[in-house]
Amino acid sequence: MYIAEAFKYRHDFWRYIIGTILVVVGVIIGQIPLGVAVFLERGMDMASMTEGELMQVLDSNFTFFLILLTFAAGLGVLLLVVKLLHNQSLRSLTTSRKKVDWGRIWFGFGLVAAFTVSVTFIEYMVNPEDFLVNFQPVPFAILVGIAIVMIPLQTSFEEYLFRGYFMQGLGVLVKNRWIPLIVTSVCFGGLHFFNPEVTQMGNLIMIYYIGTGFLLGIMTLMDEGMELALGFHAGNNLTAALLVTADWTAFQTESIFKDISDPTAGLDVLVPVFIIYPLFLFIMAKKYGWKDWKNKLFGKVEKPEDIKHIEEI
């Protein structure tokens, strides 16, 4: 089992507490370049600026890069923590398979990317008045370069932290699967509470963020590895950053379109979570032959027999 992989390494819970603290420190350090850049541009005025105003001080592509650099720093610290504090391999943090399945990563990426591109262009054709063509060749080309390199680092950090480090750490502590699934999904969604989208659309959008956490967590537990979640998360964020931006989103980019509609949280929040997400899971379940849902989502986490035997000796 995927969670049980942690039993093979140093899995004392205090290590996870220290590791989490170190990762938070890494993220804070990763924010320093953005803070310095804004300070050099606006000086002490930055203290009275809103988050949206801060994001508009610098060139959008430069700001986008600096924001993603925060996640890259967090990922670097997390991988060091896993290696040095837990003596755990990156492979075992990623999957229970003997090696990482890149085919699964690309399938998760392609599934959500194809869906997002299709839905975006359908929405543009049906409601063109809600969009402004924002495409500028040079800024867009720079955005593509930044996004291709940095967004996988951002999404990988979130996946390795929540669906990897936290899920395995909680799993070996409580010896079951459902508590790690619930806790990591709610925490993942909760961290998006301060996104500008929540301010604009209201707390109802938290259903979307927490629902996305459950989707990625279910993928990981049912597939006994993070590959699908890694690909899906990267595909979702990459296509979103390149296709559509808006003045009220966390990522304001030099994308192809700009959404100028007045956003509200309603069916557009509920439909993805309760209709589209189950459809994604159904497709993956059929492709990869998922079975025994009850045990994989709610069953016990037991120490592998080979480890028990070694400890007895």
Side-chain angles (χ1 to χ4, degrees), residues 89 158 164 180 282:
S89 66
E158 294 182 1
F282 175 78

CSV table of all heavy atoms in Angstrom, one decimal, residues 89 158 164 180 282:
chain,number,residue,atom,x,y,z
A,89,SER,N,13.2,7.6,0.2
A,89,SER,CA,13.4,7.8,-1.2
A,89,SER,C,12.3,8.6,-1.8
A,89,SER,O,11.1,8.5,-1.3
A,89,SER,CB,13.6,6.5,-2.0
A,89,SER,OG,12.4,5.8,-2.0
A,158,GLU,N,2.7,21.1,-3.6
A,158,GLU,CA,1.5,20.9,-3.0
A,158,GLU,C,1.1,19.4,-2.9
A,158,GLU,O,0.6,18.9,-1.9
A,158,GLU,CB,0.3,21.7,-3.7
A,158,GLU,CG,0.6,23.2,-3.5
A,158,GLU,CD,-0.6,24.0,-4.2
A,158,GLU,OE1,-1.5,23.4,-4.7
A,158,GLU,OE2,-0.5,25.2,-4.2
A,164,GLY,N,1.4,13.3,-0.3
A,164,GLY,CA,2.6,12.5,0.0
A,164,GLY,C,3.0,12.6,1.5
A,164,GLY,O,2.6,11.7,2.3
A,180,PRO,N,-6.4,10.4,7.1
A,180,PRO,CA,-5.5,11.2,6.3
A,180,PRO,C,-6.2,11.8,5.1
A,180,PRO,O,-5.9,12.9,4.7
A,180,PRO,CB,-4.5,10.1,5.8
A,180,PRO,CG,-4.5,9.1,6.9
A,180,PRO,CD,-5.9,9.0,7.4
A,282,PHE,N,-14.3,8.1,-12.5
A,282,PHE,CA,-14.9,6.9,-13.2
A,282,PHE,C,-13.9,6.5,-14.4
A,282,PHE,O,-13.7,5.3,-14.6
A,282,PHE,CB,-16.3,7.3,-13.8
A,282,PHE,CG,-16.9,6.2,-14.6
A,282,PHE,CD1,-17.4,5.1,-14.0
A,282,PHE,CD2,-16.9,6.3,-16.0
A,282,PHE,CE1,-18.0,4.1,-14.8
A,282,PHE,CE2,-17.4,5.3,-16.8
A,282,PHE,CZ,-18.0,4.2,-16.2
